[in-house]
Amino acid sequence: MDSRILELVEQYRSLYGGAEPEIIVRAPGRVNLIGEHTDYNDGFVFPCAIERDILMVAGRRTDRQIRAYALNFHQSTTFPLDNPPHIPQGRERWSNYLRAMTSVFGNEGIPLIGLNCVAWGDVPTGAGLSSSAAMLIAAGYLLSAGTETEIAPVLRAVLAQKAEREFVGVNVGIMDMYISVLGKKDHALLIDTRSLTYEAVPLPTAGVSIVIADTNKKRGLVDSEYNTRRLECEQAVMLLQARLPEITALRDVTLEQFERYADSLPATVRHRARHVISENERVLESVQALKSGNIERFGELMDASHESLRSDYEVSCDELDAMVAAAHSVEGVFGSRMTGAGFGGCTVSLVADTAVETFLQSVSAKYTEATGLKPVIYVTTAAQGAERLR
Ligand code: GLA
């Protein structure tokens, strides 16, 4: 067994009187290769799960309480299964995700049982790699394992999204939770966020690496700006409906239609809509490029996505731009872009295996020179989605 799991089991034993955990689950973080800020516009995204995850082990209790210990924070919390209170601030805030899933499952009538658990994760927090989605999904697997309840994978993602919206208050899309559940080793998923169906597309397993570079810029404005972008997209749909009554989301608008009616939109809304509409087309084209082995084209579309997020959607920042510029200076980088919500967090680059060493050194040095910050760079492959291990 994975040494990380053995350590968690050991912790569990020492915390809960030598008992053996009955349940072990894991859920991964994610990186989105292309298709940003499209998932709340009924559009397309193309993420993969990463080799970093949240692990949880648990055993059943006889009362209706959850007792949880976070190994990362050396912090424990106890709450009731029925109407668990939200923790607005302080050291137990990490447990809100577990509380949120408990609350949503309870409201949905999913049977619950008291649990003792220990959680640990190596998905960096606040970096845009969806540690919160991983935590929600892992919590969902843990809770349903307690009562041996079967839940369809897509429903798991939908309930986790509901939990984030209701408990955390950010009106997020479905991408992060969906990929954390359904991720497939060595594949990225082309997800249609309207029908909630996907196609698993193989990623090259030799010759090319996925490189994630964390700017270490903490994402200050992200929640309020995120909700504002959503509203601007809704406004674009409302205004475009005057000319295109059949549309219900920006997903329904082609670039050609957009160009025809763009002048009827106020400048900011026009720019936001242009990003979303062009990004959807880029996702579909990039998947075709990948399927035909054209990594160069895939990389170009990643670059174009970054530019559109920077200038039209205005969710990049100096640090993300500096990281992308540093990546572009390395020979053997096919493409590079910000990934996730923006305003800090990470970039993702597709890099020829032979260039990874140079990337690690040269991008770090150039980025630090430009920003004064030290980046953290991870090389990853596409990992399997969440699972119950015991
Ligand atoms: C965050 C949200 C996702 C998605 C991205 C932007 O990660 O949680 O739903 O909207 O931002 O693509």
Side-chain angles (χ1 to χ4, degrees):
M1 201 185 287
D2 190 322
S3 64
R4 305 169 314 164
I5 297 177
L6 287 176
E7 199 190 322
L8 265 183
V9 169
E10 208 32 68
Q11 280 290 333
Y12 183 92
R13 288 186 191 127
S14 72
L15 275 164
Y16 302 111
E20 247 341 90
E22 300 155 283
I23 302 162
I24 302 178
V25 300
R26 61 164 278 275
R30 64 98 186 91
V31 66
N32 189 19
L33 299 178
I34 191 162
E36 219 64 82
H37 289 278
T38 46
D39 66 345
Y40 50 86
N41 290 294
D42 278 3
F44 300 101
V45 292
F46 195 52
C48 63
I50 58 173
E51 293 160 312
R52 293 196 159 235
D53 31 40
I54 307 284
L55 296 170
M56 291 187 188
V57 302
R60 296 175 183 87
R61 290 171 64 107
T62 50
D63 60 6
R64 292 189 63 78
Q65 299 266 323
I66 295 214
R67 182 165 178 78
Y69 182 80
L71 201 50
N72 298 70
F73 311 117
H74 300 289
Q75 170 71 54
S76 68
T77 189
T78 304
F79 60 87
L81 285 181
D82 306 299
N83 305 313
H86 176 256
I87 304 284
Q89 58 197 13
R91 298 188 56 202
E92 287 173 44
R93 271 180 55 202
W94 62 270
S95 67
N96 276 331
Y97 298 104
L98 188 51
R99 289 163 185 261
M101 281 315 273
T102 308
S103 162
V104 166
F105 276 24
N107 294 341
E108 295 290 319
I110 295 170
L112 294 171
I113 193 169
L115 296 171
N116 287 325
C117 59
V118 184
W120 173 87
D122 64 358
V123 189
T125 55
L129 298 175
S130 294
S131 58
S132 52
M135 184 84 185
L136 289 166
I137 296 300
Y141 271 85
L142 200 76
L143 294 168
S144 61
T147 51
E148 301 293 346
T149 305
E150 294 287 333
I151 302 178
V154 173
L155 181 59
R156 286 187 180 278
V158 169
L159 295 177
Q161 179 191 27
K162 200 167 165 31
E164 175 124 14
R165 285 184 174 171
E166 287 174 4
F167 242 71
V168 189
V170 186
N171 203 3
V172 292
I174 191 82
M175 168 169 68
D176 308 343
M177 295 81 184
Y178 194 106
I179 187 68
S180 182
V181 179
L182 286 140
K184 186 168 176 201
K185 189 167 172 39
D186 296 330
H187 291 68
L189 302 192
L190 170 62
I191 304 168
D192 178 336
T193 66
R194 172 172 277 167
S195 65
L196 297 183
T197 54
Y198 73 92
E199 180 190 349
V201 183
L203 292 170
T205 47
V208 188
S209 296
I210 301 167
V211 182
I212 298 169
D214 186 349
T215 59
N216 260 324
K217 155 100 192 300
K218 289 300 164 201
R219 302 178 306 158
L221 287 172
V222 64
D223 293 357
S224 62
E225 291 289 340
Y226 188 93
N227 288 337
T228 308
R229 293 299 180 284
R230 264 195 96 113
L231 292 175
E232 288 163 348
C233 291
E234 280 167 22
Q235 210 186 333
V237 173
M238 239 173 56
L239 293 169
L240 286 168
Q241 275 168 340
R243 316 295 175 102
L244 300 164
E246 68 285 4
I247 67 166
T248 58
L250 286 176
R251 147 78 177 271
D252 300 314
V253 184
T254 63
L255 255 186
E256 198 208 356
Q257 287 171 325
F258 171 75
E259 299 295 352
R260 202 174 320 141
Y261 302 122
D263 287 346
S264 65
L265 302 176
T268 304
V269 173
R270 181 165 72 235
H271 293 150
R272 306 300 188 241
R274 184 166 58 195
H275 164 72
V276 174
I277 295 164
S278 62
E279 184 79 349
N280 274 325
E281 300 209 346
R282 278 187 290 274
V283 176
L284 297 178
E285 193 194 336
S286 69
V287 170
Q288 285 317 314
L290 192 63
K291 283 182 181 169
S292 57
N294 192 347
I295 302 288
E296 286 78 11
R297 182 66 191 143
F298 191 93
E300 283 168 17
L301 291 160
M302 288 175 82
D303 294 345
S305 167
H306 184 80
E307 182 48 31
S308 176
L309 287 157
R310 188 190 68 75
S311 63
D312 272 345
Y313 219 62
E314 297 182 279
V315 291
S316 189
C317 60
D318 291 347
E319 291 80 2
L320 286 165
D321 294 343
M323 194 76 87
V324 165
H328 282 151
S329 72
V330 176
E331 184 88 25
V333 171
F334 294 104
S336 187
R337 56 182 288 277
M338 56 155 274
T339 184
F343 299 101
C346 294
T347 65
V348 59
S349 306
L350 277 196
V351 183
D353 284 350
T354 49
V356 169
E357 263 318 302
T358 319
F359 187 106
L360 293 176
Q361 283 160 23
S362 152
V363 172
S364 290
K366 286 208 163 84
Y367 176 74
T368 302
E369 195 185 313
T371 62
L373 294 171
K374 266 191 99 58
V376 184
I377 303 184
Y378 314 92
V379 182
T380 186
T381 58
Q384 189 66 26
E387 58 198 323
R388 180 176 175 185
L389 302 165
R390 178 186 289 179

